[in-house]
C-alpha cells in the first residue's frame, strides 16, 4: 500500500541534543512538507520541498533543518536551537501540479524534550 | 492576510445531532478550501473540499457551505455518530507563486468534536 512512513513514532530528547525525524513516501509525490502541531495551534508549516535538492522555509523554520536528497525521503532535524521542540510533527506529501494542494499525511512523530 | 480563523475550539453534540464548524478567511487569493479530519495519534486525512465557485458540496453525511462574499465556509455533519469524534481542521490553499503547480495550505486551529451516544 502506498503511503507515508514516519519514524520514530515517539522520541525523547535531552535539552541541547539534535534529533532527526524520518519521513519516507512511496506515493511518487513530488512535493513534501513538514508541519508542527501543538494543542490549540493547528498545523504550522516548518519546511517544504517541491523537488529533489530544493527546499524552502515555511512559517516556523527557525531551529529546524531538512534535506531532500531523494524523492522518497525528507528528513527533519530538530536542532538545539529550537527553543520549544516538544510537539507532534507531521510529514506530508502532494502531487506537483495537481491543480490543488491535496496533502497526504503520515501518522506523525511525537517529540518530547526532557 | 494568510490567516484562517476557525470556531468553535471544541464542540459536544449528541448522537444524531448536526455539528457545525465555521471558518473565515481574509485573503481572496485563496482558491481551494479543504477540510481535514484527525483522530488521536494519527495524521490528518482529507475529508471534503470545495472551490469558491460553488456554494455547497455534499459527500455522504458531510456538507461544506461556502459564502464567497462573506469569506466564510462551514462544515456540517449530518446524523453525527460517535465515530465522527475527532479534530477537524479547515484550510485554505494558495499557489506558492504565480503559475506554480504547488500550493501552500494555511490551516485553522482545529475543532475537537465529541459525539456522545
Amino acid at each position: 500500500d502506498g503511503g507515508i512512513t514516519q519514524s520514530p513514532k515517539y522520541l525523547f530528547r535531552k535539552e541541547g541534543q539534535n534529533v532527526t525525524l524520518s519521513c519516507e513516501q512511496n506515493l511518487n509525490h513530488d512535493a513534501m512538507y513538514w508541519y508542527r502541531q501543538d494543542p490549540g495551534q493547528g498545523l504550522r508549516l516548518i519546511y517544504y520541498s517541491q523537488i529533489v535538492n530544493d527546499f524552502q522555509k515555511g512559517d516556523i523554520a527557525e531551529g529546524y533543518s531538512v534535506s531532500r536528497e531523494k524523492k522518497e525521503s525528507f528528513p527533519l532535524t530538530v536542532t538545539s536551537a529550537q527553543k520549544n521542540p516538544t510537539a507532534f510533527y507531521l510529514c506530508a506529501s502532494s502531487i506537483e501540479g495537481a491543480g490543488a494542494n491535496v496533502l497526504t499525511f503520515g501518522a506523525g512523530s511525537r517529540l518530547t524534550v526532557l | 492576510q494568510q490567516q484562517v480563523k476557525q470556531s468553535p475550539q471544541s464542540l459536544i453534540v449528541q448522537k444524531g445531532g448536526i455539528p457545525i464548524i465555521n471558518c473565515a478567511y481574509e485573503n481572496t487569493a485563496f482558491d481551494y478550501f479543504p477540510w481535514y479530519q484527525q483522530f488521536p495519534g494519527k495524521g490528518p486525512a482529507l475529508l471534503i473540499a470545495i472551490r469558491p465557485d460553488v456554494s455547497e458540496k455534499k459527500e455522504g453525511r458531510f456538507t461544506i457551505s461556502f459564502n464567497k462574499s462573506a469569506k466564510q465556509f462551514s462544515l456540517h455533519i449530518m446524523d453525527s455518530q460517535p465515530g465522527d469524534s475527532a479534530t477537524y481542521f479547515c484550510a485554505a490553499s494558495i499557489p506558492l507563486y504565480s503559475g506554480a503547480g504547488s500550493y501552500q495550505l494555511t490551516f485553522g486551529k482545529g475543532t475537537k468534536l465529541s459525539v456522545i451516544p
Side-chain angles (χ1 to χ4, degrees):
Chain A
D1 286 339
I4 297 178
T5 301
Q6 288 188 241
S7 62
K9 190 168 180 63
Y10 299 98
L11 187 60
F12 297 88
R13 184 193 101 177
K14 293 182 179 179
E15 281 193 27
Q17 289 181 334
N18 293 355
V19 62
T20 297
L21 307 180
S22 171
C23 177
E24 302 279 333
Q25 56 102 353
N26 60 4
L27 299 167
N28 199 33
H29 285 178
D30 296 299
M32 297 187 74
Y33 310 80
W34 274 104
Y35 285 88
R36 170 177 171 145
Q37 184 175 13
D38 298 282
Q41 294 296 315
L43 282 70
R44 293 181 290 169
L45 183 64
I46 304 173
Y47 268 98
Y48 63 93
S49 168
Q50 296 172 262
I51 56 173
V52 173
N53 293 322
D54 184 62
F55 48 83
Q56 306 295 329
K57 292 181 179 180
D59 300 319
I60 56 165
E62 185 175 352
Y64 300 97
S65 65
V66 294
S67 63
R68 187 87 186 274
E69 297 177 0
K70 299 186 301 182
K71 185 176 183 178
E72 302 80 17
S73 179
F74 191 41
L76 173 73
T77 296
V78 184
T79 76
S80 57
Q82 170 49 235
K83 298 304 179 188
N84 186 20
T86 294
F88 189 51
Y89 290 89
L90 288 159
C91 179
S93 68
S94 67
I95 299 174
E96 178 77 12
N101 196 322
V102 179
L103 298 181
T104 299
F105 284 90
S109 292
R110 185 167 297 281
L111 172 63
T112 302
V113 174
L114 303 174
Chain B
Q1 280 286 351
Q2 293 296 89
Q3 279 189 327
V4 176
K5 295 183 178 180
Q6 183 172 348
S7 63
Q9 190 172 358
S10 63
L11 188 55
I12 301 174
V13 299
Q14 292 249 324
K15 176 183 174 182
I18 305 176
I20 300 172
I21 305 171
N22 300 298
C23 288
Y25 63 96
E26 289 295 323
N27 191 344
T28 55
F30 287 135
D31 62 0
Y32 179 73
F33 300 87
W35 286 86
Y36 284 80
Q37 179 189 54
Q38 184 181 30
F39 293 105
K42 305 292 185 184
L46 179 66
L47 183 64
I48 186 174
I50 197 168
R51 292 198 178 276
D53 54 348
V54 176
S55 61
E56 184 177 281
K57 183 173 182 180
K58 188 176 296 186
E59 287 186 5
R61 296 183 293 107
F62 300 92
T63 300
I64 301 178
S65 297
F66 191 88
N67 186 329
K68 188 175 181 179
S69 61
K71 292 185 282 187
Q72 295 175 346
F73 58 110
S74 59
L75 177 70
H76 302 235
I77 306 176
M78 304 305 220
D79 188 26
S80 58
Q81 303 294 315
D84 297 328
S85 297
T87 299
Y88 292 83
F89 293 96
C90 62
S93 176
I94 190 170
L96 284 171
Y97 50 86
S98 179
S102 290
Y103 296 74
Q104 180 168 339
L105 277 179
T106 298
F107 285 87
K109 293 190 175 183
T111 297
K112 185 176 182 180
L113 172 66
S114 298
V115 181
I116 55 179

